[in-house]
Amino acid sequence: MTTTTTARRTRSTAVAVLVAGTYFMELLDGTVLATAAPAMGRDLGVDSAAIGVAITAYLVTLAVFIPVSGWLTDRIGSRTVFAAAIAVFTIASALCAGAHGLVDLTVWRVVQGLGGALMVPVGRLVVLRSAGRDQLVTAIAILTWPALAAPVIAPFLGGVLVDTLSWHWIFLVNIPLGVVAFVAALLIVPQERSAQRVPFDWRGSLLACLGLGALVVMASLLALDVVPVVPVVAAGVVGAVCTWLAVRHFRRAAHPIMGLDAFRLETFRVSHAGGSLFRLAVSAVPFVLPLLFQDAWGWSAVAAGSAVLWVFVGNLGIKPATTPLLRAFGYRPVIVVSTAVAALTVVAMAFLTPTLPFWALVVLLVVSGAARSVGFTAYNTIAFADVEQADMTPANTLSSTLQQTAAGFGVAVAAVVLRAAAGLGGSGPYAVAFWVVAALLVVACVEGLLMSRTAGETVRPARRVRAAAR
């Protein structure tokens, strides 16, 4: 291995770690407010349920502005946009901590969401461009852990910060992290921009923003304890119509803000069909488990949050083996087995009782976390296995948008099922929710079985080396 290759790989790994850190900050701020809502409501003089407006505002802003991230990167430059996004996110975090009312908190959450919407997709694009196919598996494995860790850690971390300090520290912890990330971005992120200057797709951007924003609003409303039917239906109709018009426009436009050509690739298509169901299920389970432990079993919030942390232990424990598994067996077997194991663990959760020994619960959660980690890495890596460097920007933008939408619907689907099955009482609604989530994973598993056996071969460098040696 040459010195140049070693230096490139080291730089690529450093950039991936930096982007993963910013991704973790963005995801954590999207989920941690739910735990702090009662304390925030008391301090700001509003009902705790009203804090949901600030949560929704953040998630909607993320979904709305992700599509423009690719165009801005190609026009202004990756380092400039990424560093500016970190600065916006960090400053907005400080302003959120200093909010004195729900209105200004919501405004600063929108600004924070704008920073997050540009920060993560642009950072991931830099990683995808700099990694090369030989480093893609490792880079994606690094980028995957925030999506696994944040939903699991957020309830526990939020509870600890609120109980020991105050809700303000949910935002204040971002300041030193943001400063470090900003400096690191200026030092190690390359400045890349497209040589071709394409016009901004105003029509496509407007349709995509309205469609995605309305769908995220609908998902957020569905997750409320009391669902406002008329706003949900209105948001659903607007979202569906605008999304359909956007897709129609993207197929015809010369320079769409979000290209759909990547769907012609089997690997990308699988990653965002069955992969979306997998991501939806992964985001739903950490939402249902704490509710089961607290509402049905009577556990405290800290105890429930601590138990769910064992899922994260499984995530981390399997991480060193993820890349060797992919290189040894290929994507089809790994995706099939990981989704099948994930489905079986969720089915087992449907039979949980308070009398179950704690060690058995720990084993189940660790195995579930391991399956989540392997599946997440496989789906995220295979998405770009066959994407050429010239097409990386539109493919990354499309991927980021679809992943954000799928994750947002995970909690909504679980909440709707829990509400529909509320009449069963006890642990019944949670069992039904787990069965629904398991069914989604089974569908993803079936799609994995239908994949080509050679899918993803281009990002298995170890196998290519052996083939060349023969």
Side-chain angles (χ1 to χ4, degrees):
M1 185 181 298
T2 65
T3 304
T4 303
T5 302
T6 302
R8 179 181 63 81
R9 290 188 173 185
T10 302
R11 185 187 182 96
S12 172
T13 301
V15 173
V17 171
L18 170 62
V19 175
T22 60
Y23 190 19
F24 183 76
M25 286 197 303
E26 181 225 281
L27 288 173
L28 195 65
D29 272 44
T31 53
V32 75
L33 251 68
T35 305
M40 294 177 70
R42 289 192 300 269
D43 197 29
L44 298 177
V46 297
D47 186 83
S48 60
I51 302 299
V53 174
I55 300 174
T56 302
Y58 180 81
L59 296 175
V60 170
T61 307
L62 282 178
V64 164
F65 285 100
I66 283 177
V68 305
S69 61
W71 183 88
L72 284 175
T73 303
D74 284 344
R75 178 60 66 93
I76 300 175
S78 52
R79 184 196 302 135
T80 302
V81 176
F82 186 58
I86 294 173
V88 170
F89 187 88
T90 305
I91 294 171
S93 296
L95 294 171
C96 286
H100 297 291
L102 182 59
V103 174
D104 51 339
L105 173 65
T106 304
V107 170
W108 299 132
R109 284 285 284 177
V110 169
V111 177
Q112 192 185 33
L114 172 61
L118 299 179
M119 186 167 63
V120 174
V122 173
R124 190 171 72 163
L125 179 59
V126 172
V127 173
L128 294 173
R129 285 175 171 173
S130 62
R133 295 197 186 277
D134 59 330
Q135 281 289 98
L136 189 60
V137 175
T138 302
I140 294 296
I142 295 172
L143 293 179
T144 298
W145 74 263
L148 295 165
V152 176
I153 292 177
F156 176 76
L157 181 61
V160 170
L161 289 176
V162 171
D163 290 344
T164 59
L165 298 170
S166 70
W167 64 265
H168 306 82
W169 284 92
I170 289 174
F171 301 106
L172 291 175
V173 294
N174 288 332
I175 297 175
L177 297 176
V179 171
V180 172
F182 179 79
V183 174
L186 295 179
L187 293 176
I188 67 175
V189 173
Q191 181 74 300
E192 298 176 344
R193 58 172 62 91
S194 176
Q196 182 184 10
R197 293 296 184 98
V198 300
F200 186 72
D201 181 13
W202 290 101
R203 178 182 297 179
S205 298
L206 179 61
L207 289 172
C209 289
L210 288 175
L212 293 171
L215 290 176
V216 173
V217 168
M218 182 187 72
S220 301
L221 294 176
L222 286 172
L224 296 177
D225 292 334
V226 179
V227 178
V229 178
V230 174
V232 165
V233 173
V237 171
V238 171
V241 171
C242 289
T243 300
W244 176 76
L245 291 175
V247 170
R248 183 182 178 188
H249 168 79
F250 293 151
R251 287 176 173 173
R252 300 177 178 180
H255 302 289
I257 194 70
M258 197 158 52
L260 303 180
D261 290 344
F263 274 122
R264 297 174 182 174
L265 304 173
E266 181 194 20
T267 48
F268 188 91
R269 191 168 57 249
V270 167
S271 177
H272 296 90
S276 292
L277 295 177
F278 187 87
R279 295 181 186 96
L280 191 152
V282 162
S283 62
V285 170
F287 171 75
V288 179
L289 278 175
L291 294 179
L292 169 67
F293 296 152
Q294 294 177 76
D295 296 344
W297 293 7
W299 288 13
S300 67
V302 174
S306 301
V308 178
L309 285 178
W310 287 104
V311 176
F312 183 53
V313 172
N315 295 341
L316 287 183
I318 198 67
K319 186 60 68 179
T322 303
T323 300
L325 285 172
L326 289 171
R327 288 177 175 169
F329 299 104
Y331 285 86
R332 183 173 177 267
V334 170
I335 285 177
V336 170
V337 172
S338 62
T339 52
V341 172
L344 290 174
T345 60
V346 174
V347 169
M349 291 175 189
F351 296 96
L352 290 176
T353 64
T355 59
L356 182 74
F358 187 72
W359 66 265
L361 175 63
V362 167
V363 170
L364 175 62
L365 296 183
V366 169
V367 173
S368 175
R372 286 157 44 97
S373 181
V374 174
F376 236 113
T377 301
Y379 276 120
N380 288 347
T381 308
I382 203 174
F384 302 97
D386 300 316
V387 177
E388 300 296 332
Q389 283 293 326
D391 302 321
M392 198 63 80
T393 296
N396 176 67
T397 302
L398 179 60
S399 175
S400 298
T401 303
L402 294 174
Q403 288 187 30
Q404 178 65 37
T405 304
F409 270 86
V411 173
V413 169
V416 169
V417 174
L418 288 174
R419 193 178 300 110
L424 297 176
S427 300
Y430 307 96
V432 174
F434 286 130
W435 278 108
V436 171
V437 171
L440 297 176
L441 290 169
V442 169
V443 174
C445 183
V446 171
E447 187 193 47
L449 287 169
L450 299 177
M451 285 174 58
S452 303
R453 294 183 181 275
T454 57
E457 286 293 315
T458 54
V459 288
R460 292 177 65 195
R463 173 160 290 196
R464 292 206 309 272
V465 170
R466 291 195 295 270
R470 290 196 297 268

